[in-house]
Amino acid sequence: EVLLVESGGDLIQPGGSLRLSCEVSGFTVSSNYMSWVRQAPGKGLEWVSVLYIAGDTFYGDSVKGRFTISRDTSKNTLYLQMDSLRVEDTALYYCARWGGYGYALDYWGQGTLVTVSS
Amino acid sequence: DIQMTQSPSTLSASVGDRVTITCRASQNINSWLAWYQQKPGKAPKLLIYKASTLQTGVPSRFSGSGSGTEFTLTISSLLPDDFATYYCQQYNAWPWTFGQGTKVDIK
């Protein structure tokens, strides 16, 4: 059974840092394309980042230069390092598997809540 | 960035109705479009990818069509379980972008 479990969400002050984790079971993170998507309270979905199998990364304009996506093969876990956090980064953060070229985000976790507030 | 515009934003319908949601892209995205369903407090669920390919396990009352800049999601006969918010997403170019969502509620 495929399971993605996010953790690490918290209440943090503007300018702070946080690292989100996404523990995966049922498939190997390093052999799949992985992504983060966020959803501000009561709002729609916003794509954040993707990590290719080969290690290439892409980011949304609003997080570029502040967020870093990575993985730990030994722990089969995906991460999102979030620096210089802003109030507008407040959201539920989902990790998801991208099926690869031609495919979409087919497996999702339940999300972890990040609240940026003073 | 490619803008995705869904219409309508809200749709009131009854069980058994045929429902159609439209998604327009600000530029050509070929067929690189997905549809997701999201219920309150739950993660999005992939329904359709590549504009018209049904994800494994998704009921056949859901269908997708279109290419280029105009796409539709159709639910042939609405069931109680289908009341939810639906999002389109383009994955033709970075950054990927989502539509603003269409909420399907009970008339």
Side-chain angles (χ1 to χ4, degrees):
Chain A
E1 184 196 6
V2 171
L3 208 55
L4 293 81
V5 179
E6 301 94 336
S7 61
D10 204 349
L11 170 62
I12 185 115
Q13 291 193 336
S17 295
L18 208 55
R19 189 178 80 159
L20 306 183
S21 300
C22 173
E23 217 170 307
V24 173
S25 54
F27 66 86
T28 304
V29 166
S30 58
S31 300
N32 284 270
Y33 300 87
M34 299 295 296
S35 188
W36 288 95
V37 175
R38 69 184 181 183
Q39 186 169 34
K43 302 296 184 183
L45 302 169
E46 181 187 9
W47 173 75
V48 172
S49 181
V50 72
L51 175 60
Y52 276 42
I53 296 171
D56 304 75
T57 58
F58 292 91
Y59 299 92
D61 295 340
S62 60
V63 307
K64 205 176 297 183
R66 301 187 298 123
F67 289 11
T68 304
I69 189 171
S70 64
R71 65 191 174 212
D72 184 327
T73 302
S74 65
K75 295 181 179 177
N76 209 35
T77 298
L78 179 74
Y79 300 103
L80 185 68
Q81 176 67 39
M82 310 164 68
D83 298 321
S84 303
L85 281 161
R86 304 168 180 168
V87 170
E88 55 266 34
D89 294 320
T90 295
L92 187 62
Y93 284 74
Y94 295 102
C95 68
R97 187 185 83 161
W98 173 32
Y101 290 98
Y103 297 89
L105 299 169
D106 54 7
Y107 291 103
W108 295 65
Q110 286 307 299
T112 187
L113 182 61
V114 173
T115 304
V116 185
S117 174
S118 53
Chain B
D1 297 1
I2 299 174
Q3 284 211 328
M4 307 300 293
T5 305
Q6 288 181 232
S7 59
S9 295
T10 306
L11 191 160
S12 295
S14 302
V15 171
D17 284 354
R18 181 181 181 86
V19 162
T20 298
I21 299 169
T22 298
C23 178
R24 287 187 174 86
S26 61
Q27 62 190 74
N28 181 15
I29 60 169
N30 300 293
S31 295
W32 304 126
L33 183 103
W35 289 98
Y36 301 87
Q37 177 194 66
Q38 188 179 33
K39 296 180 180 178
K42 300 291 187 182
K45 173 188 173 184
L46 176 63
L47 299 175
I48 286 168
Y49 63 96
K50 224 181 300 182
S52 60
T53 304
L54 208 61
Q55 175 69 357
T56 303
V58 173
S60 59
R61 64 181 181 274
F62 291 93
S63 64
S65 65
S67 67
T69 61
E70 188 145 340
F71 302 85
T72 58
L73 171 71
T74 299
I75 309 171
S76 60
S77 181
L78 207 61
L79 294 185
D81 191 49
D82 301 335
F83 292 99
T85 299
Y86 294 84
Y87 294 93
C88 62
Q89 177 227 343
Q90 68 80 19
Y91 51 103
N92 180 72
W94 308 111
W96 291 347
T97 44
F98 289 87
Q100 81 279 15
T102 295
K103 184 178 181 181
V104 178
D105 62 21
I106 302 171
K107 186 187 282 185

